[in-house]
Amino acid sequence: MSDTHALLGLPAGASAQQIKRAFRKLAMRWHPDRNPDPAAADQFRRLRDAHDRLLAALLEGKEKAHEDAAATQPPPQRGADRWQTLEISIEESFTGARRTVEVERRSPCVLCGGSGIEKLSVSRLCTPCRGSGRLHGPAGLERCPDCEGRGYRNTGPCGGCGGSGEQMQTRHLEVLIPPGVVDDDELRLAGEGEAHPEPRHRAGDLHLQIRLTSHPLFRREGRDLVLRRPVSALRLLIGGTLRVPHPTGVRSIELEPGLAHPRSLRVPGAGFPAHGRRARGDLVVEFEPELPHAPERSLHGLIDELDRALAARAEHHFPELARWESVWLDEH
């Protein structure tokens, strides 16, 4: 690495864009108009000289490369990729959606076009050479590199970007979310990542990592959609048609007669939609039996009649009750 590279804090083989960017950054610190240190003018001159020499050497190297017909072409390059989290609801995972995503990235300053310099409305006396256009150098008087020998300056650091040549810009991208995406799935937006330092190369890609927001009713288990539904213990006994909520709307399911205990029902194909090579999941309804709470007096007769009818075959309907009564009641 040469001394000129080290002075600008650059690695060997730095590009023209990197050289210009490094010089603009250091120039903001050492420019005599901004830095009152007596050594600032000399340091700024060395920085400017290193900048000019590196660019000249780079240009000479490019011209030589173009003249060499046998030179191999460099591989395609692009900017760095970016990753961003995108939260969606379970309903959006089922139906798909269009969302607007905000993306921030560095772009060339719109005021100076990326140069970092703006034209001044009023010319200023050049500080390094104090208006003479000349500076003392190893070979005697030399042309001031800051004002190019004019003794005055009609340009200065851009007020829009502070001389960096770049601005953070917010872009609003419309994203199409396909049905069936779930946690840790990824959507890739080509060319919406970081810009490459060399404008001729394309930008990187933006990767949107999907996160499902928590839901008060639904939860995900793989590709299955699971929900808990309270249900009358009597309905669990006799079965019948039940209505259950679903991300796409209320559905009716058929409940088979059975025990009045917690149990679940699986509805094939009613889970998360298929996506890529992953098949559609199932809907799993977990039933929680509910017993009547303080029934009205008008229902007491019906309940008593039902209880007597069931008690007639207690060993079938209430086996634990029948065993208890046979041990503690029938023998006394």
Side-chain angles (χ1 to χ4, degrees), residues 15-96:
S15 66
Q17 187 74 11
Q18 290 173 314
I19 294 169
K20 293 177 182 178
R21 184 179 298 170
F23 171 72
R24 286 197 297 264
K25 183 178 179 180
L26 291 169
M28 293 293 295
R29 176 183 174 187
W30 290 104
H31 197 286
D33 286 353
R34 289 176 171 265
N35 193 332
D37 190 327
D42 189 53
Q43 177 68 4
F44 180 80
R45 183 183 62 78
R46 289 199 298 269
L47 292 170
R48 183 61 178 262
D49 183 60
H51 165 269
D52 293 345
R53 288 186 182 185
L54 287 177
L55 285 183
L58 195 63
L59 179 61
E60 182 180 351
K62 286 183 178 180
E63 290 176 351
K64 184 177 180 181
H66 283 303
E67 293 171 358
D68 187 0
T72 58
Q73 294 295 323
Q77 299 183 47
R78 61 188 182 91
D81 288 353
R82 290 187 60 185
W83 280 263
Q84 193 167 312
T85 300
L86 176 61
E87 290 191 343
I88 66 172
S89 66
I90 285 182
E91 288 82 0
E92 288 173 321
S93 176
F94 269 78
T95 62

Side-chain angles (χ1 to χ4, degrees), residues 250-271:
V250 175
R251 294 191 173 197
S252 295
I253 59 175
E254 291 300 320
L255 177 64
E256 294 294 326
L259 298 176
H261 294 166
R263 54 185 162 117
S264 62
L265 174 66
R266 182 177 291 270
V267 183

Side-chain angles (χ1 to χ4, degrees), residues 287-303:
F287 295 112
E288 297 180 340
E290 288 278 331
L291 290 169
H293 293 279
E296 296 88 344
R297 186 173 296 274
S298 60
L299 296 176
H300 288 186
L302 291 174
I303 297 174

Side-chain angles (χ1 to χ4, degrees), residues 151-218:
Y152 64 92
R153 295 173 48 248
N154 56 9
T155 59
C158 174
C161 62
S164 68
E166 295 178 330
Q167 288 179 320
M168 291 300 295
Q169 292 187 343
T170 300
R171 302 188 62 198
H172 295 84
L173 306 177
E174 186 173 286
V175 179
L176 178 62
I177 302 170
V181 294
V182 295
D183 290 303
D184 298 325
D185 282 343
E186 191 176 277
L187 303 178
R188 183 175 65 88
L189 304 183
E192 298 297 344
E194 299 290 351
H196 193 277
E198 293 288 348
R200 61 192 178 93
H201 296 302
R202 78 175 185 88
D205 297 338
L206 173 63
H207 300 261
L208 297 176
Q209 295 178 314
I210 300 298
R211 289 287 181 274
L212 292 182
T213 56
S214 60
H215 197 281
L217 176 64
F218 303 119

